[in-house]
């Protein structure tokens, strides 16, 4: 059995901490047994390891999230990266072609697709293992896991049974996010919450690709990705399946996709610098800035503060945030990378279309940025902490706190932190965009190899 974990979305309902590069699954707000903080994706990956499923798992994600996944889970996690965001069916289809043509997985192998961020007990993943036998024995097109509802929720979709056996149900239909009154009726019909877990034979999806005239080869399909329909797996596959079965799961399951649900699972009401008065009740403060925030007399509130913005909301109303911030177009102000992190301090766009971005950047000891150049912007670095080796066009030299580095457009550069390194970076130019990063080398040994081949000077 193989697993495909879907890591997508921007988690806008958890703004301002979540953004396009740091979605909700990457927020380190849950607590491990040893007291350390971990993210949803780290928690799930640890559970997969405990269940013996991690080695069979591949993560399907967008280009923007790949580096964050490696940063939190390590470099050995298999990742299939979408060339562009096109919804869940294309993402799953691309991952299926990867399993088939790169990992040489047989067409009759069972594949399970699940979100990368459910909040569940370990027992849930043992239930996932049961899907393999269920698909084979029931001869169904799809097998799902449905959670037995604990209350008539209007937030979830429902799996409505046609017939129940002792071990599984045959699915009659699906109902998406009913009213609470409708949910009560569905519960009387023994309907289950749909938790987004699907199992099928690999060949079932591959046949769909062949019917669309698309290649089963991963590299070819990757280049043809724009030809895949921009549609969800539910609409393209689930609604067209002839026979669907589902396993009921009666354990704990929760989608921590909104502030009101996430704060219910937090072990503390205060994260970051600030004070919540004793006159406040059921109030949470999450502050990522280095300035104090004070809450007095708050009731049922969530206050979230980050470089991307500030949210003050009644918990019950917090899911509305996604609609309210639709017009926000600023780039992400905080990013975690393999080498460290960057925080945007200031952003301006002038009447002549010139842009200016000021960032505070930290590179962890022993880590390095890529060796790259830009065509559309100039940069100035002011080193404020630590020491590093700077690769700059035709030489490598040392830099330390107090040094200023000028990087005109077109100048190739990279930096290695000999000790934890921080610098202030000021970018100026027309079109300061991700696509204007032209990478030459990633590892520092490759940077050194490049310099040796070019006979450039290395200054100690």
């Amino acid at each position: 059995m193989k697993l495909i974990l879907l890591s997508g979305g921007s988690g806008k309902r958890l703004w301002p901490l979540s953004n396009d590069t740091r979605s909700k699954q990457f927020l380190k707000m849950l607590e491990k047994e040893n007291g350390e903080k971990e993210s949803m994706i780290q928690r799930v990956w640890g559970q997969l390891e405990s269940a013996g499923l991690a080695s069979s798992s591949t993560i399907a994600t967008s280009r923007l999230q790949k580096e964050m996944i490696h940063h939190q889970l390590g470099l050995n996690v298999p990742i299939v990266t979408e060339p562009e965001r096109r919804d869940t069916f294309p993402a799953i289809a691309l991952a299926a072609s990867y399993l088939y043509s790169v990992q040489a997985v047989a067409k009759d192998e069972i594949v399970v697709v699940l979100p990368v961020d459910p909040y569940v007990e370990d027992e849930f993943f043992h239930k996932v293992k049961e899907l393999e036998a269920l698909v084979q024995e029931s001869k169904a097109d799809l097998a799902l896991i449905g959670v037995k509802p604990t209350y008539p929720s209007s937030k979830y979709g429902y799996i409505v049974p046609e017939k129940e056996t002792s071990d599984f149900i045959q699915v009659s239909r699906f109902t998406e996010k009913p009213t609470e009154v409708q949910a009560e009726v569905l519960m009387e019909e023994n309907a289950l919450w749909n938790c987004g877990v699907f199992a099928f034979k690999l060949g079932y999806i591959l046949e769909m690709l062949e019917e669309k005239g698309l290649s089963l080869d991963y590299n070819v399909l990757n280049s043809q990705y724009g030809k895949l329909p921009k549609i969800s797996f539910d609409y393209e596959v689930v609604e067209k399946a002839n026979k669907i079965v589902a396993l009921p799961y009666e354990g704990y399951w929760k989608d921590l996709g909104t502030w009101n649900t996430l704060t219910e699972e937090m072990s503390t009401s205060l994260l970051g610098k600030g004070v919540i008065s004793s006159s406040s009740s059921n109030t949470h403060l999450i502050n990522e800035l280095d300035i104090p925030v004070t809450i007095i007399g708050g009731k049922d509130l969530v206050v979230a503060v980050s470089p991307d913005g500030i949210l003050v909301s009644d918990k019950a109303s917090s899911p509305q945030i996604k609609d309210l911030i639709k017009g926000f177009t600023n780039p992400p102000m905080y990013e975690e990378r393999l080498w460290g992190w960057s925080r945007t301090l200031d952003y301006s766009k002038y009447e002549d279309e010139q842009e200016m971005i000021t960032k505070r950047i930290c590179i962890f000891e022993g880590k390095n940025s890529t060796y790259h150049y830009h065509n559309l912007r100039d940069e100035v670095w002011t080193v404020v902490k630590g020491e590093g080796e700077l690769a700059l066009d035709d030489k490598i030299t040392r830099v330390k706190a107090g040094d200023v580095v000028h990087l005109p457009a077109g100048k190739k550069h990279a930096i290695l932190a000999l000790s934890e390194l921080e610098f202030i970076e000021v970018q100026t130019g027309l079109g300061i965009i991700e696509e204007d990063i032209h990478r030459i080398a990633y590892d520092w040994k490759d940077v050194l190899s490049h310099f040796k081949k070019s006979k450039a000077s290395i200054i100690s």
Side-chain angles (χ1 to χ4, degrees), residues 259-307:
W259 279 115
N260 53 336
T261 56
L262 178 56
T263 52
E264 287 173 357
E265 303 301 334
M266 289 175 58
S267 60
T268 178
S269 59
L270 173 62
L271 282 177
K273 185 176 287 189
V275 176
I276 302 175
S277 74
S278 58
S279 60
S280 299
S281 62
N282 189 30
T283 291
H284 281 73
L285 168 61
I286 303 96
N287 182 12
E288 291 192 329
L289 299 185
D290 196 30
I291 54 174
V293 175
T294 303
I295 301 174
I296 302 173
K299 182 180 180 182
D300 302 328
L301 291 180
V302 57
V303 178
V305 183
S306 87

Side-chain angles (χ1 to χ4, degrees), residues 58-71:
T58 298
I59 299 178
T61 189
S62 68
R63 175 180 54 82
L64 291 173
Q65 294 184 8
K66 181 179 179 180
E67 196 165 339
M68 181 73 82
I69 292 170
H70 281 317
H71 176 75

Side-chain angles (χ1 to χ4, degrees), residues 328-344:
F328 293 4
T329 57
N330 282 0
M333 306 292 275
Y334 177 81
E335 297 179 86
E336 289 181 22
R337 309 296 286 267
L338 277 173
W339 40 257
W341 52 263
S342 71
R343 174 171 291 167
T344 299

Side-chain angles (χ1 to χ4, degrees), residues 105-392:
V105 175
K107 288 185 177 182
D108 61 355
E109 183 87 15
I110 305 303
V111 176
V112 179
V113 176
L114 67 159
V116 80
D117 56 0
Y119 191 79
V120 292
E121 300 162 331
D122 293 349
E123 179 59 31
F124 180 84
F125 294 99
H126 295 288
K127 181 66 71 173
V128 168
K129 288 181 176 181
E130 296 178 24
L131 290 172
E132 182 174 23
L134 180 59
V135 173
Q136 293 169 335
E137 293 169 8
S138 68
K139 296 185 173 16
D141 295 328
L142 295 170
L144 319 178
I145 290 180
V147 177
K148 190 170 182 179
T150 53
Y151 66 99
S153 172
S154 60
K155 297 184 295 184
Y156 304 132
Y158 285 74
I159 302 169
V160 185
E162 178 181 281
K163 185 170 67 176
E164 292 189 53
T165 70
S166 58
D167 300 318
F168 64 91
I169 67 172
Q170 291 188 17
V171 177
S172 169
R173 68 184 193 278
F174 298 88
T175 299
E176 278 300 312
K177 298 182 179 178
T179 64
E180 289 187 10
V181 173
Q182 291 170 328
E184 288 178 354
V185 175
L186 290 169
M187 287 179 68
E188 292 173 2
E189 296 179 36
N190 294 321
L192 305 171
W193 284 338
N194 188 354
C195 59
V197 177
F198 310 99
F200 47 83
K201 288 186 177 180
L202 179 59
Y204 182 64
I205 299 300
L206 297 179
E207 287 173 12
M208 292 183 179
L209 289 175
E210 289 179 315
E211 289 170 2
K212 297 178 186 300
L214 294 166
S215 176
L216 303 186
D217 181 88
Y218 169 71
N219 292 317
V220 176
L221 187 62
N222 192 64
S223 66
Q224 298 176 337
Y225 198 67
K227 295 182 179 180
L228 280 161
K230 195 172 185 179
I231 191 170
S232 72
F233 187 83
D234 289 47
Y235 287 128
E236 183 67 14
V237 179
V238 179
E239 288 194 357
K240 298 176 182 178
N242 293 318
K243 183 179 180 181
I244 305 175
V245 295
L247 281 177
Y249 171 71
E250 297 189 17
Y252 192 79
W253 173 87
K254 200 170 191 179
D255 177 9
L256 304 186
T258 59
W259 279 115
N260 53 336
T261 56
L262 178 56
T263 52
E264 287 173 357
E265 303 301 334
M266 289 175 58
S267 60
T268 178
S269 59
L270 173 62
L271 282 177
K273 185 176 287 189
V275 176
I276 302 175
S277 74
S278 58
S279 60
S280 299
S281 62
N282 189 30
T283 291
H284 281 73
L285 168 61
I286 303 96
N287 182 12
E288 291 192 329
L289 299 185
D290 196 30
I291 54 174
V293 175
T294 303
I295 301 174
I296 302 173
K299 182 180 180 182
D300 302 328
L301 291 180
V302 57
V303 178
V305 183
S306 87
D308 282 302
I310 298 171
L311 168 71
V312 180
S313 173
D314 173 80
K315 286 184 178 179
S317 303
S318 63
Q320 299 174 21
I321 185 64
K322 184 176 182 179
D323 295 325
L324 293 173
I325 64 170
K326 281 181 178 177
F328 293 4
T329 57
N330 282 0
M333 306 292 275
Y334 177 81
E335 297 179 86
E336 289 181 22
R337 309 296 286 267
L338 277 173
W339 40 257
W341 52 263
S342 71
R343 174 171 291 167
T344 299
L345 305 177
D346 189 28
Y347 169 76
S348 297
K349 190 167 186 176
Y350 305 106
E351 292 181 1
D352 60 359
E353 298 300 312
Q354 285 279 339
E355 293 179 278
M356 184 279 293
I357 298 177
T358 304
K359 293 185 175 184
R360 178 182 171 191
I361 295 174
C362 175
I363 299 182
F364 300 143
E365 183 176 344
K367 300 291 185 179
N368 65 274
S369 70
T370 60
Y371 185 52
H372 63 280
Y373 64 93
H374 314 281
N375 288 323
L376 302 177
R377 66 176 182 253
D378 300 331
E379 294 179 354
V380 176
W381 296 354
T382 302
V383 182
V384 295
K385 175 186 175 184
E387 188 175 4
E389 285 188 351
L390 174 70
L392 194 59

Side-chain angles (χ1 to χ4, degrees), residues 82 88 168 183 231 268 274 405 416:
E82 297 177 273
T88 51
F168 64 91
I231 191 170
T268 178
V405 180
L416 167 72

